[in-house]
Amino acid sequence: MIYTLIVLLPLAGALIAGLFGRALGPRPSEIITTSLLMVSALLSWIVFVQVGFGGETARVPLLRWITSGELDTAWSLRIDTLTSVMLVVVTTVSALVHLYSIGYMHEDDSRPRFFAYLSLFTFAMLALVTSDNLVQMFFGWEGVGLASYLLIGFWYKKPEANAAAIKAFVVNRVGDFGFALGIFALFAMTNSINLDAVFAAAPDLTGKTLSFLGYEVDVLTLIALLLFMGAMGKSAQFLLHTWLPDAMEGPTPVSALIHAATMVTAGVFMVARLSPVFELAPTALEVVVVIGTITAFFAATIGLVQNDIKRVIAYSTCSQLGYMFVACGVGAYSAGIFHLFTHAFFKALLFLGAGSVIHGMHHEQDMRRMGGLRQKLPITWAMMLIGTLALTGVGIPQLAGFAGFHSKDAIIEAAYAAHTPSNFAFWGLVIAAFMTSFYSWRLMFLTFHGETRADAHTYEHAHESPWVMLIPLLVLAAGAVIAGVAFTHVFIGDGYADFWRTALYEAPGKDIRHHMHEVPAWVMWAPAIAMLAGLGLAVIYYVLVPGLPAATARAFRPIYLFLLNKWYFDELYDRIFVRPTFAIGRLLWRGVDGAVIDGTIDGTAKSVLWGTGRVVRLQTGYMYHYAFAMLVGVAVLLTYFILAGGGGAP
């Protein structure tokens, strides 16, 4: 019963606020949806303790769902350690976002609709993480895609919000197409979509080939790559990442929900859940490592020069997701999920902290027009500082640190232990850690320190957020401080086996966890050194020599513009995909539909009108005209029959 309530309570809130929100009013809608999410979050923590530390697992059938030919599947909840971790992450952050939104959205006239969308989003994510079969997972997968479209485009009167929502929806559909093909291929090869049956049948597929696009390819490699294509879209990995920064057009609480705990982590969860399949496809795992490393690096480079406070954090999310995929790619799934877990706390903290800044600065988002806000927003500053310390991974190796220190450093150590060619994954992540530290402290210095660059009126009226917004920040800050040190032992330490049990799969003999704890001391210290180097450079640029950033931008203008314009991916995709698609659309519209189809129909209609116009002219209304026409007709018929008869005589 408890598992069912966790999943269905957000759905109940969405239905109540969505169907009856106008009748109930904004305040009751807020209270009902938030209260239901609070209950769901509390129950999730209970399940986390029972499953993770008590060893409970369960399969909870809810209803018979699809029966078609050989496809027979039920809607059921798969409860194991991986599920319990995701339940805590999703419901906790969602409940805090609901509470925060009561304050942030208090002036909006469409609050019932907003809270209905938030709860619907949460339900879809819960359906995804509790799925016991691939179709159910795909249902939740598409559900969060739909809800993200609604939330990103919530302020639909803004053209930018509509464009961002469409962009997120379309780019994700590209990845989802690959995900669907992977599910189809698994069903074709295993005759099942139920996870346990797929996992049992997967080893028998080793070495088998399949004809795909005219080539014979390894079945498991193809399936794993198609599935990972879905993860690339949902988790905004390199090449399918372009939607994520534009999603900032939605309300700030949406950014925290989408980019911290829910939608973007779905891809990481899927790869971890399907680890028995991915572990049998080493080539696909190599691709995962490469894409993850590139994403971590390139997103960090873009974050260096962004000026919108939310976009800096968005690219940080993109980069951190790259870390998680690298962990999965080298087989350290527990480290990847550990970082997903800790990241949810400090990244939601940073997004909501940014929202507090925007709220206090009357919707100003450009960091170039901030500064000196530490005195005006002291609590928000302290919370953002904790989030920054957690994100940059401040801590002392082999002792303790903030949340990100434990999880991110574990991934870097796993990347080194995996011995990728030239250790490119390790060095890529270390360099990304250096850039993460730089742009994170850049955000802090530009926003809260130094002389203010805001206009006098805005700065004078800058104010701290109400407590309904600050309480979620305090809770998340506690998670950002203790989530790492409290759970390192069970996630990646000696308690691994008792905690995870069969929820994650490790290929026999790989033992990446053992090797990652035996790396040289300099490898353990490398992330800390990178963090300190980034902090030092940020101090030089934005505290000691404030004129240096502008001088550097002028001196390296081509590189600066390249990074500022996000590696020109939007322009490239516009030229390669968007313009040709629109050109084809215009051709089909004007050339085929307009000229051929409409031309044929319109031409026929015009011919009929012309003919009827001539016929109508014969309708004079005079009796003698009609009598004369009848006589002429009779004469013509008689002449015809006479001639025809005469022609036929011998």
Side-chain angles (χ1 to χ4, degrees), residues 427-443:
W427 288 113
L429 296 185
V430 170
I431 295 171
F434 161 73
M435 291 187 289
T436 299
S437 178
F438 177 82
Y439 67 64
S440 297
W441 290 110
R442 171 178 179 263
L443 184 152

Side-chain angles (χ1 to χ4, degrees), residues 130-472:
T130 57
S131 57
D132 194 35
N133 62 76
L134 291 168
V135 173
Q136 184 180 336
M137 185 182 293
F138 193 75
F139 173 86
W141 195 272
E142 294 302 305
V144 294
L146 170 63
S148 69
Y149 171 81
L150 297 173
L151 285 168
I152 295 169
F154 177 76
W155 288 322
Y156 57 87
K157 294 181 181 179
K158 293 173 57 180
E160 298 85 359
N162 285 326
I166 293 171
K167 186 176 183 180
F169 195 82
V170 171
V171 174
N172 272 275
R173 295 297 75 72
V174 174
D176 295 351
F177 178 67
F179 188 30
L181 289 180
I183 294 173
F184 298 156
L186 271 176
F187 180 73
M189 301 305 298
T190 65
N191 206 34
S192 179
I193 56 159
N194 295 314
L195 293 181
D196 287 336
V198 169
F199 297 160
D204 296 333
L205 301 179
T206 305
K208 291 187 177 180
T209 60
L210 179 70
S211 181
F212 183 75
L213 300 178
Y215 296 94
E216 290 293 322
V217 296
D218 181 76
V219 167
L220 287 170
T221 300
L222 174 65
I223 290 172
L225 288 176
L226 289 172
L227 295 172
F228 179 61
M229 184 175 171
M232 288 175 62
K234 198 66 70 184
S235 296
Q237 292 300 281
F238 181 69
L239 300 179
L240 294 180
H241 67 279
T242 54
W243 67 270
L244 186 130
D246 290 13
M248 298 299 103
E249 292 296 337
T252 299
V254 172
S255 303
L257 190 61
I258 291 178
H259 299 114
T262 52
M263 182 171 167
V264 294
T265 61
V268 181
F269 164 79
M270 184 266 285
V271 174
R273 172 64 79 201
L274 299 180
S275 54
V277 176
F278 278 88
E279 282 296 297
L280 298 172
T283 302
L285 286 178
E286 292 174 2
V287 174
V288 173
V289 172
V290 171
I291 294 295
T293 305
I294 293 174
T295 304
F297 176 83
F298 106 95
T301 64
I302 298 173
L304 295 173
V305 298
Q306 295 300 304
N307 298 311
D308 186 303
I309 188 171
K310 288 172 62 177
R311 287 181 178 259
V312 174
I313 305 172
Y315 278 108
S316 171
T317 298
C318 188
S319 181
Q320 296 304 304
L321 288 165
Y323 279 83
M324 300 175 203
F325 278 111
V326 169
C328 293
V330 300
Y333 299 98
S334 59
I337 298 300
F338 187 29
H339 195 48
L340 184 157
F341 179 80
T342 61
H343 176 267
F345 291 101
F346 61 73
K347 189 53 60 72
L349 174 62
L350 288 170
F351 267 118
L352 296 185
S356 183
V357 172
I358 295 168
H359 181 270
M361 290 289 289
H362 305 284
H363 305 287
E364 178 60 70
Q365 296 184 200
D366 194 330
M367 297 185 298
R368 294 172 297 181
R369 292 193 284 271
M370 297 182 184
L373 294 180
R374 179 182 176 183
Q375 290 76 26
K376 295 286 186 176
L377 290 77
I379 299 176
T380 299
W381 167 79
M383 298 300 100
M384 291 286 285
L385 178 63
I386 292 173
T388 301
L389 293 171
L391 171 61
T392 57
V394 173
I396 301 174
Q398 297 182 319
L399 288 178
F402 289 81
F405 164 78
H406 294 275
S407 56
K408 186 168 71 173
D409 284 24
I411 294 175
I412 293 174
E413 291 165 11
Y416 180 87
H419 297 298
T420 56
S422 302
N423 271 326
F424 77 91
F426 168 76
W427 288 113
L429 296 185
V430 170
I431 295 171
F434 161 73
M435 291 187 289
T436 299
S437 178
F438 177 82
Y439 67 64
S440 297
W441 290 110
R442 171 178 179 263
L443 184 152
M444 290 295 296
F445 294 144
L446 285 177
T447 304
F448 295 102
H449 297 270
E451 298 293 326
T452 185
R453 297 172 300 281
D455 66 83
H457 181 268
T458 301
Y459 183 77
E460 182 66 25
H461 290 84
H463 56 87
E464 189 63 91
S465 299
W467 280 106
V468 72
M469 294 173 61
L470 293 178
I471 289 173

